[in-house]
Amino acid sequence: MKALARLVLGLVIFDAAVTAPTLEPINYDSETYDATLEDLDDLYNYENIPIGQAEERTSIAGSREQRAPHPAPQPEEAEEEEEESTPRLIDGFSPQEPEFTRVLGPHASEDFPTCLLCTCISTTVYCDDHELDAIPPLPKNTAYFYSRFNRIKKINRNDFASLNDLRKIDLTSNLISEIDEDAFRKLPELRELILRDNKIRQLPDLPTTLTFIDISSNRLGRKGIKQEAFKDMYDLHHLYLTDNNLDHIPLPLPENLRALHLQNNNILEMHEDTFCDVKNLTYIRKALEDIRLDGNPINLSKTPQAYMCLPRLPIGSLV
Ligand SMILES: *[C@@H]1O[C@H](CO)[C@@H](O)[C@H](O)[C@H]1NC(C)=O
Ligand SMILES: *[C@@H]1O[C@H](CO)[C@@H](O)[C@H](O)[C@H]1NC(C)=O
């Protein structure tokens, strides 16, 4: 409550400053306070505040001086406006920083350096589109990591080391051509691995906890997937390997797999036991409802027995 009182007092002073531009710049003390977005909504009536000023208020309320070790330059325009009518902001936050980082700052992964560049909300780290050329250091409690549309070339052994809560990695649209063999293997909670649109030639060992794998649009080719790579992934339900120049279907397929996308590869043949069990005609692979083999030089009509156990025929050339 004391903190809230301090905040209210601060706002009253700030209000005075806005209406009386000749006032000296105010020294806000840098003690931490836990203002939430709800608190702010209660205190403000945004409708009566010009947009620029409303933004400044949010930024003051949501920040602390010591959270901004690198002063980020303010855009020129904003600076000019401030000099005219309002006291300069004491914090160094760029107004371009996403709103929630500033407002929720004290609740996120606080002073972690990566969170000053990227956006951290609770246990999620968003680093999309930041021209990164390597995986940045991540807070220990990171559960969801997005780093799409960057220029990362390699994933190193230690990039995700001891991130024991990591559940999802999304590195869509980077330049990854190399992944250390141990990069993912020891992540005990990893569920989703999305590496679409990269240049990966060789898939490393993967943890068996995975439920969703998307390595579409890479260069796995004939040797990029190891023998029995997906065999022990009991919970795997989506496996997307579109556009990879694969020349075979990676076997065996885990029993709970629901979707297998292999379109636009170089798969030439299918065997009677690829999906089904030729020795057991009562066996039904009931989970696997979505098989895509279109865009492959394969004639599915040649192996009519191969689909007996499936709930649906694969999509692909049947002529
Ligand atoms: C054949 O498949 C059915 C259904 O999956 C299973 O219950 C049965 O044990 C299998 N029989 C043999 C001989 O493997
Ligand atoms: C596909 O296989 C079927 C059955 O063997 C055959 O009749 C058909 O001509 C084949 N189609 C092509 C385009 O090779």
Side-chain angles (χ1 to χ4, degrees), residues 5-206:
R6 196 185 292 276
L7 173 66
V8 172
L9 184 66
L11 290 167
V12 169
I13 296 171
F14 187 71
D15 254 333
V18 170
T19 48
T22 51
L23 223 82
E24 293 285 306
I26 301 154
N27 269 323
Y28 294 98
D29 84 27
S30 62
E31 212 178 298
T32 64
Y33 43 64
D34 291 306
T36 66
L37 193 52
E38 289 74 32
D39 292 335
L40 297 173
D41 275 343
D42 290 341
L43 290 166
Y44 295 144
N45 182 356
Y46 274 102
E47 280 158 27
N48 298 327
I49 305 171
I51 289 191
Q53 285 177 21
E55 248 179 52
E56 279 162 19
R57 290 174 185 212
T58 313
S59 130
I60 285 172
S63 61
R64 288 182 271 146
E65 248 180 312
Q66 68 267 43
R67 278 201 69 237
H70 321 290
Q74 307 262 348
E76 312 238 330
E77 252 184 61
E79 250 171 47
E80 273 165 32
E81 270 179 22
E82 274 162 22
E83 271 162 26
E84 269 179 56
S85 59
T86 61
R88 262 192 73 74
L89 294 177
I90 43 103
D91 69 333
F93 273 96
S94 157
Q96 277 162 351
E97 196 172 341
E99 196 80 71
F100 28 77
T101 319
R102 283 180 284 151
V103 175
L104 300 178
H107 304 289
S109 292
E110 315 215 14
D111 306 314
F112 205 86
T114 298
C115 298
L116 297 173
L117 168 72
C118 303
T119 299
C120 303
I121 304 175
S122 179
T123 56
T124 301
V125 179
Y126 294 100
C127 291
D128 288 353
D129 211 354
H130 270 85
E131 303 188 5
L132 300 178
D133 50 23
I135 305 281
L138 294 170
K140 269 260 186 291
N141 66 347
T142 304
Y144 302 90
F145 174 56
Y146 297 84
S147 185
R148 299 168 289 196
F149 311 106
N150 285 297
R151 299 172 186 165
I152 298 165
K153 291 199 177 75
K154 187 179 179 211
I155 302 180
N156 297 298
R157 178 171 296 107
N158 294 321
D159 284 347
F160 299 112
S162 63
L163 294 177
N164 290 336
D165 297 331
L166 196 56
R167 295 178 66 88
K168 176 169 182 169
I169 297 173
D170 188 344
L171 293 166
T172 296
S173 290
N174 278 274
L175 303 169
I176 300 164
S177 58
E178 215 186 324
I179 305 177
D180 271 348
E181 194 54 35
D182 285 343
F184 303 120
R185 182 165 55 192
K186 292 172 188 157
L187 295 171
E189 294 295 329
L190 194 65
R191 299 284 185 276
E192 297 180 49
L193 181 62
I194 301 165
L195 300 169
R196 279 187 88 90
D197 279 318
N198 279 285
K199 302 176 176 202
I200 300 164
R201 292 177 181 279
Q202 180 71 49
L203 210 55
D205 273 353
L206 299 175

Side-chain angles (χ1 to χ4, degrees), residues 299 301-302 319:
N299 182 350
S301 300
K302 283 188 176 158
V319 286

